[in-house]
Amino acid sequence: MKSSDIIERYLRGERDFRGLDLTAENLIGVTLNQANFSTSSLKDASLARAYLERCFLIDTNLNGAFLYGTNLSYAKMKGSHLIEADLTKANLKGAQLNCVDLTGAKLSGAILLCVNLFRANLTGVNLCGANLNGINLRSANLEKANLNWTNLSGARLSGANLKGAQLNGVKLNGAFLNGLELDGIDLSGLELNNVKLSGAKLSGANLMGTALQAAQMRFTHLEGANLQQADLQESVLKGGQFVSVNLMKGNLRDADLRNADLSHANLNLADLSGANLTGANLQGAYLWGTNLDGACLEGANLTGASLRNAKLNGADLQDAILSGATMPNGRVY
């Protein structure tokens, strides 16, 4: 079917265009709001600056389509194929893009407010500088995606694949990253305040100087990670795995570290004042010059730990195990 036929039928009041072959058709600048193109083929079609607000494009083939500046706000696009499509500066506000394949698509300058990208395939997509505040990216595939300087504050990323993604300058304040596999990832110097990382795997990750205030990180795996000078004030780190982690000069004031494994961790010059370390494992930990004023170390295991020059004013050491520990005055307990 030709584009002229579509326009003529639309002007007569028709809205059902399901299952049509519109491959490579020219529909630049047309108004087709609320039309139904589900299961149709618009492969390589030109739809630049077209008005497709609230259209139905479910399971539609839009591979290679030219959608520059197109208005797709609130469109229903579940399961559609947009491989290598050009969506530069397109308006996708409120669009339903769950399970859509956007591999290699261009989204520079696109409006993505309130978009649903649940289980979407975004492999290699360029989202540099995009505002994805609060967006639903659960179980989305973002492998090798360009997320540099992207705003993902409050975004839901649980179950997402971020393998090889570029994350320079990304904002993840309050984002949901629970259970993600992020071993070896570089998040150094980023803003992750109030982030949700419970159960996530961050072994060997680089979090040097990262802002993680009030983060939720219950049972998170951070073995061998670099958290030097990281800000974890008031974070919940209960049951976390911090074996051999580098937390030198870290800010852990009032942090919840109950039952956390900090064995052989480097906590030299860290601020743990007011922290709750009840039942924590600090065997062989380095705590030289560490501020533990007012900290609760009830039942903590400090076997072989070095506390030389540490501050323990008002610290609760009830039932703590101190066998072989080097105390602040240099005496071995």
Side-chain angles (χ1 to χ4, degrees), residues 41-78:
S41 175
L42 286 157
K43 182 181 179 183
D44 298 321
S46 296
L47 290 151
R49 295 181 295 279
Y51 292 87
L52 300 172
E53 186 176 352
R54 299 184 187 278
C55 276
F56 289 85
L57 293 156
I58 298 169
D59 293 320
T60 302
N61 184 354
L62 286 153
N63 290 340
F66 185 49
L67 294 153
Y68 181 96
T70 303
N71 185 353
L72 286 156
S73 55
Y74 304 102
K76 309 293 189 296
M77 303 175 74
K78 180 181 179 181

Side-chain angles (χ1 to χ4, degrees), residues 166-190:
Q166 299 176 49
L167 298 163
N168 295 322
V170 68
K171 291 185 179 180
L172 288 160
N173 294 324
F176 293 80
L177 300 163
N178 297 319
L180 290 193
E181 294 188 10
L182 300 166
D183 294 334
I185 198 167
D186 186 357
L187 296 169
S188 56
L190 299 182

Side-chain angles (χ1 to χ4, degrees), residues 291-303:
N291 186 355
L292 288 157
D293 289 347
C296 181
L297 290 151
E298 184 178 349
N301 187 349
L302 289 149
T303 301

Side-chain angles (χ1 to χ4, degrees), residues 152-214:
L152 284 162
S153 299
R156 288 166 283 171
L157 287 149
S158 298
N161 176 15
L162 289 164
K163 184 177 180 181
Q166 299 176 49
L167 298 163
N168 295 322
V170 68
K171 291 185 179 180
L172 288 160
N173 294 324
F176 293 80
L177 300 163
N178 297 319
L180 290 193
E181 294 188 10
L182 300 166
D183 294 334
I185 198 167
D186 186 357
L187 296 169
S188 56
L190 299 182
E191 295 181 20
L192 280 81
N193 295 321
N194 299 297
V195 73
K196 282 71 175 175
L197 275 163
S198 293
K201 296 179 180 178
L202 289 149
S203 297
N206 185 3
L207 292 153
M208 183 176 179
T210 301
L212 287 155
Q213 283 195 25

Side-chain angles (χ1 to χ4, degrees), residues 47-240:
L47 290 151
R49 295 181 295 279
Y51 292 87
L52 300 172
E53 186 176 352
R54 299 184 187 278
C55 276
F56 289 85
L57 293 156
I58 298 169
D59 293 320
T60 302
N61 184 354
L62 286 153
N63 290 340
F66 185 49
L67 294 153
Y68 181 96
T70 303
N71 185 353
L72 286 156
S73 55
Y74 304 102
K76 309 293 189 296
M77 303 175 74
K78 180 181 179 181
S80 289
H81 299 276
L82 287 144
I83 298 171
E84 302 291 339
D86 189 345
L87 288 150
T88 303
K89 296 186 177 181
N91 183 0
L92 290 156
K93 180 181 178 181
Q96 298 294 313
L97 293 164
N98 40 318
C99 304
V100 165
D101 191 346
L102 284 153
T103 303
K106 297 177 183 177
L107 286 158
S108 180
I111 298 171
L112 295 162
L113 185 66
C114 302
V115 169
N116 181 3
L117 285 161
F118 173 65
R119 288 186 177 174
N121 185 1
L122 293 148
T123 304
V125 166
N126 184 2
L127 287 162
C128 181
N131 183 8
L132 302 174
N133 185 32
I135 202 167
N136 182 4
L137 284 159
R138 289 184 298 122
S139 301
N141 184 5
L142 287 154
E143 185 172 354
K144 297 182 180 179
N146 183 352
L147 297 168
N148 291 334
W149 313 107
T150 300
N151 182 7
L152 284 162
S153 299
R156 288 166 283 171
L157 287 149
S158 298
N161 176 15
L162 289 164
K163 184 177 180 181
Q166 299 176 49
L167 298 163
N168 295 322
V170 68
K171 291 185 179 180
L172 288 160
N173 294 324
F176 293 80
L177 300 163
N178 297 319
L180 290 193
E181 294 188 10
L182 300 166
D183 294 334
I185 198 167
D186 186 357
L187 296 169
S188 56
L190 299 182
E191 295 181 20
L192 280 81
N193 295 321
N194 299 297
V195 73
K196 282 71 175 175
L197 275 163
S198 293
K201 296 179 180 178
L202 289 149
S203 297
N206 185 3
L207 292 153
M208 183 176 179
T210 301
L212 287 155
Q213 283 195 25
Q216 298 292 321
M217 299 172 71
R218 295 178 178 86
F219 306 104
T220 301
H221 290 262
L222 284 149
E223 296 92 338
N226 182 8
L227 285 148
Q228 185 174 344
Q229 295 183 308
D231 188 353
L232 289 150
Q233 184 172 340
E234 297 182 353
S235 289
V236 179
L237 307 163
K238 182 180 178 182

